[in-house]
Amino acid sequence: MALDKTGIAKRIAKEVKDGYYVNLGIGIPTLVANYVREDIDVEFQSENGVLGMGPFPFEGEEDADIINAGKQTITTLPGASFFDSATSFAMIRGKHVQLTILGAMEVAENGDIANWKIPGKMVKGMGGAMDLVASAENIIVAMMHTNRAGASKLLKRCSLPLTGVGCVKKIVTNLAVLEVIPDGFMLLERAPGVSTEEIEAATEGNLIINGEIPEMDI
Amino acid sequence: MIRKEVANVQKALQGVTNGQTLMLGGFGLSGIPENAIAELVQLGVSGLTCISNNAGVDDFGLGLLLQKKQIKKMISSYVGENDEFERQMLSGELDVELIPQGTLAERCRAAKAGFPAFYTPAGYGTEVAEGKETREFNGKMYVLEHAFKADFAFIKAWKGDAAGNLVFKGTARNFNPNMCGAAEITIAEVEELVPAGTLDPNQIHIPGIFVQRIFQGVNYEKRIEQRTVRQKQ
């Protein structure tokens, strides 16, 4: 069965390693924090200027001066720090943040990503996404494999305005885990009960299947 | 000590006129210069170019200036959550330049620090880089981005003193420190204006040299945009 958003977040949480500073985008990526192993040390960075983000505050303890990049009220954990926006992006551009997890509207087999604009329909802006994808060494995209109409979002070439070029390394969707390699999307894992044929049918870009593809362990 | 303190927001905003370029600190509604924005509405200045990460919401923050059609151009990284903004942008009344958030911060910092321009990887290969110089360093491509040039920077800090020294709180810091000293005149409003000598020099986030005017702000609403909480077990 295809994963839901929580399932995608749980699978991505396995990619978070001990000692990582991690930037989480808005949407599914935000959920990842809930499923990271408790026996490892990880700090979450939010580009509006905080390292060491904790859970949402208890009711009545919200502070307008302590929010994440999604403008949600948050708390901080011991060891946390606050800083200005230029310092925040120095962490990102300077590759001090080890892992970036973000959403996408489209990704292409060459690693291009589009997630900020639908011409004529939605123009909210790129926020920090262009800085993140242009700099991070390790980018995981969390997304649904297809859009609501059933069309693939894993394409030969992105049709929407790009956020970054050749930057996506790994993709976790409701159907599969894939790695972007020079020849296209290499299938690494299937969602439980999802067949390689289903994944092939949902992938417009070149899908590379080498041997038996294991099911995700989540 | 060089004194920067002015009596109120009216005195602080002297010299603000139509057609100027303004920087405004804040991320979402956190750390926005609420008093300065209210005074800009009062003054009715128009044709403004506003450099700010976001554009407020319909009835708060820069949304108040948008309602009165005082803004000609917005330079931001993210402008969701504002219907009036979207309407003005789609109808062509409002000119909008969307730029990557890190580039926005660095274009402020560059202006403050005396750099005319800098190379960044953000936006390479996208429409953001169209018409801009690009250059390869160590096998990777970068885009040349220029320092901003602005008439006024409006800053919101937590505490400040008469010398213009500032201390910020939490994530209300955001773009505020980067905009201090990035415009011809920097105006800081603070929740608490304390006597000089009260703030520990070791703990100052922005030295007063980057601030021309400082005043005690009033009636802070500090609206929360997304109130997210968890229940006590």
Side-chain angles (χ1 to χ4, degrees):
Chain A
M1 206 179 85
L3 302 177
D4 58 8
K5 289 179 178 181
T6 303
I8 295 173
K10 282 183 177 166
R11 176 59 191 81
I12 292 176
K14 289 185 171 296
E15 304 286 324
V16 179
K17 303 287 191 311
D18 190 36
Y20 271 15
Y21 292 103
V22 183
N23 180 288
L24 300 177
I26 295 166
I28 301 173
T30 306
L31 301 174
V32 172
N34 300 331
Y35 304 107
V36 173
R37 278 165 49 187
E38 287 183 4
D39 60 338
I40 61 173
D41 293 320
V42 172
E43 282 192 30
F44 291 105
Q45 195 249 22
S46 200
E47 63 268 24
N48 59 316
V50 56
L51 257 177
M53 253 193 302
F56 294 147
F58 290 120
E59 203 159 358
E61 294 176 7
E62 316 89 278
D63 184 341
D65 292 330
I66 304 180
I67 62 170
N68 64 17
K71 289 113 180 173
Q72 296 171 313
T73 46
I74 54 157
T75 58
T76 53
L77 296 172
S81 56
F82 297 114
F83 36 84
D84 65 82
S85 299
T87 303
S88 181
F89 283 93
M91 293 174 189
I92 290 164
R93 248 187 265 103
K95 303 184 193 303
H96 308 283
V97 173
Q98 275 85 17
L99 175 62
T100 288
I101 302 168
L102 77 176
M105 297 170 184
E106 297 176 347
V107 291
E109 63 186 35
N110 61 359
D112 290 357
I113 178 172
N115 72 353
W116 74 282
K117 183 177 182 181
I118 305 172
K121 272 192 188 163
M122 195 272 318
V123 191
K124 287 182 187 295
M126 66 291 283
M130 283 193 182
D131 307 271
L132 283 159
V133 301
S135 307
E137 310 242 276
N138 195 0
I139 298 173
I140 301 177
V141 171
M143 65 192 295
M144 303 305 276
H145 214 100
T146 54
N147 65 20
R148 286 195 184 91
S152 181
K153 294 164 74 172
L154 279 67
L155 308 172
K156 289 191 180 306
R157 287 290 174 272
C158 290
S159 65
L160 295 170
L162 296 179
T163 308
V165 294
C167 52
V168 176
K169 304 286 189 295
K170 202 169 220 181
I171 305 159
V172 178
T173 75
N174 53 326
L175 302 182
V177 179
L178 310 105
E179 189 182 332
V180 178
I181 62 169
D183 296 333
F185 300 111
M186 188 163 80
L187 185 58
L188 300 180
E189 299 172 20
R190 299 173 288 116
V194 172
S195 68
T196 51
E197 290 74 22
E198 286 173 76
I199 297 164
E200 252 182 316
T203 308
E204 187 219 86
N206 189 35
L207 186 71
I208 299 148
I209 304 171
N210 283 335
E212 271 306 296
I213 306 298
E215 279 192 2
M216 291 180 207
D217 172 28
I218 55 168
Chain B
M1 186 184 92
I2 301 175
R3 303 193 72 86
K4 307 292 173 67
E5 187 181 352
V6 295
N8 52 42
V9 68
Q10 288 81 17
K11 290 219 163 58
L13 266 67
Q14 273 178 13
V16 176
T17 58
N18 295 341
Q20 287 180 330
T21 298
L22 312 179
M23 289 179 168
L24 299 103
F27 186 99
L29 300 177
S30 186
I32 58 172
E34 292 186 23
N35 284 210
I37 290 169
E39 181 61 14
L40 288 168
V41 173
Q42 281 295 315
L43 289 171
V45 287
S46 62
L48 302 172
T49 296
C50 291
I51 300 166
S52 184
N53 189 55
N54 313 93
V57 294
D58 277 313
D59 63 342
F60 200 55
L62 284 177
L64 298 170
L65 293 177
L66 286 164
Q67 274 181 15
K68 296 274 173 73
K69 302 195 168 54
Q70 291 174 262
I71 301 176
K72 179 187 71 179
K73 181 177 183 181
M74 275 303 309
I75 301 175
S76 303
S77 87
Y78 190 83
V79 293
E81 359 297 346
N82 191 323
D83 293 338
E84 176 62 14
F85 182 98
E86 202 168 353
R87 191 197 65 72
Q88 289 186 23
M89 178 170 66
L90 294 174
S91 71
E93 292 167 60
L94 182 69
D95 186 9
V96 178
E97 185 181 343
L98 291 169
I99 60 178
Q101 195 174 127
T103 299
L104 178 66
E106 201 62 18
R107 287 178 70 185
C108 295
R109 205 194 70 84
K112 164 193 201 150
F115 293 111
F118 57 90
Y119 283 100
T120 175
Y124 177 76
T126 76
E127 61 182 55
V128 163
E130 280 170 19
K132 292 176 183 165
E133 282 182 52
T134 57
R135 185 169 163 181
E136 187 185 321
F137 294 93
N138 303 319
K140 187 174 164 94
M141 293 304 293
Y142 295 80
V143 183
L144 187 70
E145 295 282 1
H146 290 80
F148 283 126
K149 203 167 157 26
D151 297 293
F152 286 92
F154 295 110
I155 305 304
K156 158 73 196 324
W158 179 35
K159 292 179 179 177
D161 65 18
N165 295 309
L166 302 178
V167 176
F168 299 90
K169 180 173 162 249
T171 52
R173 189 181 317 193
N174 56 64
F175 290 83
N176 283 296
N178 308 131
M179 289 178 175
C180 285
E184 291 295 320
I185 296 175
T186 296
I187 301 173
E189 58 183 84
V190 294
E191 286 177 56
E192 202 180 329
L193 189 65
V194 301
T198 312
L199 298 173
D200 177 355
N202 288 301
Q203 304 296 332
I204 291 193
H205 293 142
I206 286 293
I209 191 169
F210 295 118
V211 175
Q212 277 67 49
R213 302 173 196 167
I214 186 168
F215 67 98
Q216 169 70 59
V218 292
N219 301 327
Y220 282 105
E221 180 177 336
K222 294 175 64 163
R223 192 184 293 187
I224 290 174
E225 210 166 322
Q226 304 283 342
R227 186 179 300 275
T228 44
V229 296
R230 68 193 147 126
Q231 302 302 320
K232 283 195 170 129
Q233 298 294 317

